[in-house]
Amino acid sequence: LLVLLVSIPKGQTEEDNILDRFLSRESTPVVDYLAIRDISASNAKYKMYGEMRIEARLHNRNLSYRVLSQTGSGFILGKVLGGLNEEDEETEKLNPARVAFTENNYSFTPVGEVNFDLYQLFSKPRRKEHLLIDGSIFVTPTGDLVRVEGRLVKNPKLLVRNVYLTRVYDKIMGVTLPVYFESEAQIPWAGPSNLTMRYHYLSVNGKPVTEAN
């Protein structure tokens, strides 16, 4: 603790120091992965529900899918989940620097410790662009990303509005990757709809995953 306190520049709080660590963190780029995604979506108004298990493969910035199993509402499977896959493919084609958590894209405000070894930072997008989130990020004292939650500042191409999402991250083979995602969005004619997605990685950057995830 004494070493940590001494390392904080005079006049700078621990929260500011953690923000600096987060912004200066070195991240390993993800150029290749193979993962299983378990997706479920529901709509309470029409009592629709669907589940899909897919194999997702990223190679040379190209993302491809293979459906392993599916069950439930044909609308959910064909429109919502299928549309999400198309949205994912477009996302992978974006310049990562345009949507990364950097000071070029966001203004950050340190909030403080919200749980043991978990700190909250408010994130405010500097422009209205696809995938930027107005909300909060949660990081460890070393600046590692743990969770993101908030509202998309720009609606996706899908027929949804007011998308609020939560995305959980973990380090797998030394790479920070999403492991869980959930969202709630308004569909104009159907009301609120929910979606969750769990990721299970089989390989990352050409190396088989040997740790549980």
Side-chain angles (χ1 to χ4, degrees):
L1 178 60
L2 179 61
V3 173
L4 180 61
L5 291 174
V6 170
S7 68
I8 300 175
K10 190 174 181 179
Q12 187 173 16
T13 66
E14 170 64 355
E15 288 78 13
D16 292 328
N17 197 43
I18 288 172
L19 174 59
D20 288 343
R21 293 173 191 162
F22 171 71
L23 293 175
S24 63
R25 73 198 186 286
E26 294 184 2
S27 57
T28 302
V30 182
V31 297
D32 179 282
Y33 71 69
L34 177 63
I36 302 298
R37 297 186 187 182
D38 289 305
I39 309 170
S40 63
S42 62
N43 176 269
K45 181 177 180 179
Y46 291 98
K47 298 181 180 179
M48 295 185 297
Y49 181 81
E51 290 185 348
M52 179 182 290
R53 168 168 279 198
I54 63 174
E55 178 188 83
R57 184 184 298 272
L58 175 67
H59 183 64
N60 293 332
R61 297 296 304 277
N62 293 315
L63 188 61
S64 60
Y65 294 94
R66 182 167 67 94
V67 176
L68 303 178
S69 63
Q70 58 183 7
T71 183
S73 164
F75 176 82
I76 291 287
L77 296 173
K79 300 297 183 181
V80 179
L81 299 182
L84 177 67
N85 292 345
E86 293 176 6
E87 189 76 14
D88 246 350
E89 290 177 344
E90 291 189 9
T91 298
E92 291 296 340
K93 296 176 183 177
L94 290 174
N95 180 358
R98 294 287 294 176
V99 296
F101 284 104
T102 65
E103 290 185 296
N104 288 331
N105 301 324
Y106 289 91
S107 62
F108 297 99
T109 304
V111 178
E113 190 173 18
V114 295
N115 206 337
F116 179 71
D117 279 350
L118 188 66
Y119 287 80
Q120 182 181 11
L121 311 170
F122 285 148
S123 57
K124 192 74 175 178
R126 296 187 183 276
R127 61 187 180 279
K128 191 174 182 179
E129 186 166 328
H130 183 58
L131 289 185
L132 295 185
I133 300 169
D134 186 358
S136 296
I137 61 177
F138 298 84
V139 301
T140 67
T142 57
D144 290 321
L145 182 61
V146 174
R147 190 170 84 246
V148 173
E149 59 182 51
R151 194 171 304 279
L152 291 179
V153 295
K154 185 176 181 179
N155 293 320
K157 290 185 177 181
L158 303 176
L159 295 177
V160 294
R161 300 291 183 269
N162 299 323
V163 180
Y164 190 91
L165 61 85
T166 299
R167 186 178 288 115
V168 179
Y169 294 82
D170 197 3
K171 270 198 171 181
I172 299 174
M173 305 294 287
V175 181
T176 300
L177 291 165
V179 294
Y180 177 76
F181 171 89
E182 68 177 27
S183 69
E184 179 176 314
Q186 292 287 332
I187 298 178
W189 51 268
S193 297
N194 300 87
L195 182 143
T196 63
M197 180 160 50
R198 299 181 185 276
Y199 305 70
H200 175 70
Y201 293 90
L202 304 178
S203 67
V204 176
N205 288 342
K207 297 181 179 179
V209 174
T210 57
E211 55 198 61
N213 70 89

